[in-house]
DNA sequence: TCAAAAGTGTTTTAACTACACCCATGG
DNA sequence: CCATGGGTGTAGTTAAAACACTTTTGA
């Protein structure tokens, strides 16, 4: 597992992945964090992540770390590498380069428990995270930025919701990601004009007037590269 | 230089950088390639690149490789990491992960010669490159995509030009990067409305009517991260 | 005076913003 | 009947696209 035929001029560095995994809970954008159980930064919250194995692809490593460090029940709906953090001094253990990924976990992904070397796992407000280990605060900030960019031209918000959903729910996802309020009428106009939503006939009961249910009319998203 | 205190679970991989360095020549977007002198892919054209040293930042490694593999006279005006290519089988020597960078070399960067392990270096049409080693064709394609995106909201095209330039020259840079023709009147309107150009008084003589010279009125670009 | 390249305006269209009231339901 | 949340339309503004002729210079 550890034998390697690198050329002599290659100075091996530690290769890691970190994952900023997002979900919506209580109408808020939340990020999945783990409490580190080992040094450095023991008992500090961090993004889930770990070292890449020699025979696995980067996004496979990200998925594996998500699954072993936190018990999330569902498959991520989107997993995308967004930047590689490689500052010489970012990890006191030596030169460790982290390929940072952004993941979207679908609706229903709620209970998370620690696993592997972590003391625990939990959801935290993505826009106001607790103090984080290493350079993970920076990584998280960039992940949110990328999430906001993706929101525009992929219809990424759908990934946060169950198969059928109402327009106010969808608007809530957009607002939580962008961290600002949107105009109801303009939002509906824009989304419906895209033609990617189909009405799903039924209605969902609540406190006030029932809302029209929609489902996606279009394509799927891929987990993978670029 | 090669001693490292990585934790035991870290499986060291080779860490490399590759650079897609662009410049404008003869009104065409060109990319800097080197002819490999060593196996694998000896005598094949490739993006300049190489292994990152343990004590250097990723963008420093990219600059160093640019300088040692190709003799380029000038500093790049922009150097930006854009994606990390880490497929298990992308390099026959073993697991080597490449943090790909995009660079813009300013006007005047013309003569390039090989250096280091390369047999030679030269400029090639970026949109129609020769066959490339490893996964470098894919890397180059993504670099061009990123260049096109950056063109919009950074005024990146200025980086390809000397300090003073004419609007037709600037339009030519945009057209070469986007690989399509633009409308002269709309281009001028849009660029001048941005207010980042200042007239530079003088005029440059040529075949037809002389053109107004401009210079940037605004900010500088940084070499570095994000 | 001709060739060659620079320069210049208007109209149409699409997209985004701001903004206030009525509707359907459950309690 | 009232509280709660869902649903609807218009007018103004801004940004982009299409489109053809005149001006300045050197040869």
């Amino acid at each position: 597992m550890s034998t390697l035929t690198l050329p002599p001029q290659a100075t091996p560095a530690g290769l890691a992945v970190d994952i900023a995994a997002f979900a919506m809970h209580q109408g808020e954008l939340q990020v999945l964090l783990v409490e580190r159980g080992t040094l450095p930064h023991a008992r500090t919250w961090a993004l889930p992540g770990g070292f890449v194995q020699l025979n696995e692809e980067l996004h496979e490593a990200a998925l594996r770390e998500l699954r072993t460090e936190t018990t999330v029940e569902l498959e991520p709906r989107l997993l995308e590498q967004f930047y590689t953090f490689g500052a010489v001094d970012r990890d006191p253990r030596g030169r460790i380069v982290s390929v940072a990924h952004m993941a979207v976990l679908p609706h229903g992904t709620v209970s998370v428990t620690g696993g592997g070397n972590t003391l625990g796992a939990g959801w935290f407000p993505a826009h106001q995270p607790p103090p984080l280990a290493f350079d993970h605060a920076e990584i998280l900030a960039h992940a949110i930025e990328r999430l906001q960019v993706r929101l525009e031209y992929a219809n990424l918000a759908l990934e946060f919701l169950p198969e059928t959903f109402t327009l106010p729910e969808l608007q809530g996802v957009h607002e939580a990601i962008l961290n600002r309020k949107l105009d109801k009428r303009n939002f509906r106009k824009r989304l419906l004009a895209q033609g990617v939503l189909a009405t799903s006939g039924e209605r969902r009961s609540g406190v006030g007037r029932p809302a029209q249910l929609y489902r996606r009319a279009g394509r799927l998203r891929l987990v993978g590269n670029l």
Side-chain angles (χ1 to χ4, degrees), chain A:
Chain A
M1 178 86 89
S2 187
T3 54
L4 185 57
T5 58
L6 285 183
Q9 69 273 28
T11 46
L15 178 65
V17 289
D18 288 301
I19 307 100
F22 297 101
M24 294 292 308
H25 292 136
Q26 300 124 19
E28 193 184 29
L29 182 68
Q30 308 229 46
V31 63
L32 182 55
L33 300 177
V34 298
E35 191 178 7
R36 289 178 56 83
T38 55
L39 289 172
H41 297 290
R43 306 202 62 79
T44 306
W45 292 97
L47 298 174
F51 292 102
V52 178
Q53 290 172 7
L54 282 183
N55 58 353
E56 78 185 336
E57 300 296 337
L58 297 175
H59 65 271
E60 289 172 357
L63 280 175
R64 176 178 54 73
E65 291 292 344
L66 252 190
R67 294 212 188 91
T68 60
E69 290 209 331
T70 71
T71 312
V72 293
E73 312 98 18
L74 300 176
E75 290 290 312
R77 291 276 190 86
L78 180 133
L79 178 66
E80 176 178 287
Q81 177 205 125
F82 67 91
Y83 199 74
T84 296
F85 294 81
V88 170
D89 62 354
R90 63 178 292 278
D91 192 311
R93 291 169 290 181
R95 185 64 184 279
I96 297 179
V97 169
S98 173
V99 182
H101 289 70
M102 180 197 86
V104 173
L105 296 179
H107 178 83
T109 309
V110 181
S111 89
V112 289
T113 60
N117 296 324
T118 67
L119 301 176
W123 293 101
F124 293 82
H127 295 290
Q128 293 93 29
L132 296 179
F134 304 109
D135 54 357
H136 287 192
E138 188 189 351
I139 296 179
L140 174 58
H142 287 300
I144 291 175
E145 228 172 81
R146 175 66 65 107
L147 190 65
Q148 291 173 341
V149 170
R150 282 283 175 271
L151 186 57
E152 295 178 13
Y153 56 10
N155 45 351
L156 178 53
L158 298 188
E159 313 303 340
F160 285 93
L161 292 170
E163 203 184 338
T164 64
F165 50 87
T166 68
L167 277 185
E169 283 166 355
L170 183 58
Q171 181 174 348
V173 173
H174 280 251
E175 290 177 337
I177 293 175
L178 297 175
N179 209 16
R180 63 188 172 91
K181 286 288 178 190
L182 299 174
D183 180 272
K184 186 164 45 161
R185 286 167 289 191
N186 294 336
F187 179 80
R188 301 170 81 89
K189 211 183 314 168
R190 191 160 54 84
L191 265 285
L192 294 176
Q194 286 178 210
V196 299
L197 299 185
T199 66
S200 188
E202 316 104 68
R203 297 170 159 268
R204 175 174 299 175
S205 85
V207 184
R209 170 176 174 176
Q212 176 70 246
L213 280 178
Y214 291 87
R215 63 175 69 246
R216 59 159 13 112
R219 55 221 99 126
L220 290 178
R221 304 230 100 252
L222 296 182
V223 169
N225 278 0
L226 287 179

